[in-house]
Amino acid sequence: MVVVAQISDLHFNGTAAHRSRAAGVLAYLDAAHTEGHAVSGLLVTGDLVDVGLPEEYTEAAAALVTDIPTITLLGNHDDRAAYTSVRDGVASTAPVNSALRLDDLLVLGLDSSVPGRSDGYLADETLDWARAELAAAGDVDVLLSWHHPPLPIGLPRMDERRMHDAERAAALIADHPNVVGTVVGHAHTPAATMFAGRPLIVAPGVSSTLNLPFEGTGWLNATQGPGIAFHIIEDHRLTTHYRVLSTW
Ligand SMILES: [Fe+2]
Ligand SMILES: [Fe+2]
């Protein structure tokens, strides 16, 4: 059994409000990791910062300190050059794709961001990289992740900004039976559905939660705390548990 924690949409923006929500989920994760030795990896599925400024990434790097092996993906609020300049000391505009092997699981993080746009897309370069990683994985279970939901999930304003040409992602999954599911962010709401015949899990937002159309006319839900998803992968099956903090 492998446990992967997921947090998403931290939107570091220099405010104490967003810093404290991120600190709350990190403290919760570190406590679970230390006490149970159960959390094998951490996925941060994009919109790490709000505007894409280098100083926001410096703030994020100072806050996201953990012993848990971590993959960080980029979202539509991120900026590849600013992110890589802070992470690596060299600015790059190439897609930020990364892999993390955890015991019997391979986690792949694909860059679905498109510079200058709110919606998402998997570029040829990213798909080629993912296909090579999946081929090398053989029979090992694979958890896919990227930022944008690839299909409507009942949140009209975010559905407009979902991944486009999602059949490219669906084909990637269809060609690889070792994919146990896909986990995404972007929508700031814990949700679960199916995509390409496998589970498609949406992480809660750390910085905020978005309302469904029948929850009111406001864009943001004012009462929900920062959330975490815990993904358990066992016997080629994905089970997800959600936690929402009441204090942070
Ligand atoms: Fe976001
Ligand atoms: Fe987003």
Side-chain angles (χ1 to χ4, degrees):
M1 182 180 84
V2 181
V3 178
V4 179
Q6 182 188 7
I7 57 177
S8 196
D9 295 270
L10 291 84
H11 287 265
F12 280 98
N13 61 356
T15 66
H18 284 196
R19 266 198 308 277
S20 67
R21 292 173 76 98
V25 295
L26 257 292
Y28 194 94
L29 289 171
D30 278 335
H33 185 59
T34 302
E35 291 172 14
H37 304 286
V39 181
S40 299
L42 172 63
L43 263 172
V44 184
T45 46
D47 286 357
L48 183 59
V49 306
D50 205 43
V51 179
L53 302 173
E55 52 265 40
E56 292 176 323
Y57 289 110
T58 301
E59 181 188 20
L64 293 177
V65 176
T66 176
D67 291 336
I68 306 172
T70 301
I71 282 186
T72 299
L73 318 185
L74 300 188
N76 53 298
H77 283 256
D78 291 301
D79 182 274
R80 292 171 180 168
Y83 173 72
T84 52
S85 69
V86 171
R87 185 189 66 174
D88 308 327
V90 179
S92 168
T93 57
V96 176
N97 301 313
S98 48
L100 179 64
R101 179 69 186 262
L102 301 169
D103 301 324
D104 296 329
L105 180 74
L106 177 67
V107 182
L108 296 183
L110 284 65
D111 190 341
S112 67
S113 71
V114 182
R117 295 179 63 105
S118 295
D119 57 351
Y121 179 73
L122 294 179
D124 289 346
E125 178 181 350
T126 292
L127 284 172
D128 290 347
W129 171 84
R131 285 186 180 278
E133 291 284 341
L134 282 158
D139 294 335
V140 171
D141 285 348
V142 177
L143 182 67
L144 292 181
S145 62
W146 54 71
H147 182 67
H148 296 79
L151 70 184
I153 59 166
L155 271 176
R157 291 176 69 172
M158 298 310 284
D159 290 346
E160 294 172 4
R161 298 162 170 81
R162 69 183 184 271
M163 175 186 286
H164 65 266
D165 294 317
E167 66 276 6
R168 292 159 63 83
L172 180 72
I173 294 169
D175 289 345
H176 296 93
N178 53 337
V179 173
V180 297
T182 305
V183 302
V184 300
H186 187 52
H188 295 230
T189 183
T193 183
M194 298 287 284
F195 175 67
R198 316 282 166 87
L200 187 286
I201 304 295
V202 186
V206 170
S207 61
S208 66
T209 298
L210 301 184
N211 276 327
L212 291 157
F214 47 83
E215 289 181 299
T217 56
W219 174 232
L220 293 175
N221 185 306
T223 61
Q224 295 287 302
I228 302 167
F230 288 110
H231 306 296
I232 298 173
I233 297 90
E234 188 170 29
D235 297 333
H236 191 62
R237 191 166 58 82
L238 171 64
T239 303
T240 299
H241 297 252
Y242 291 115
R243 294 291 180 268
V244 177
L245 304 191
S246 55
T247 57
W248 58 90

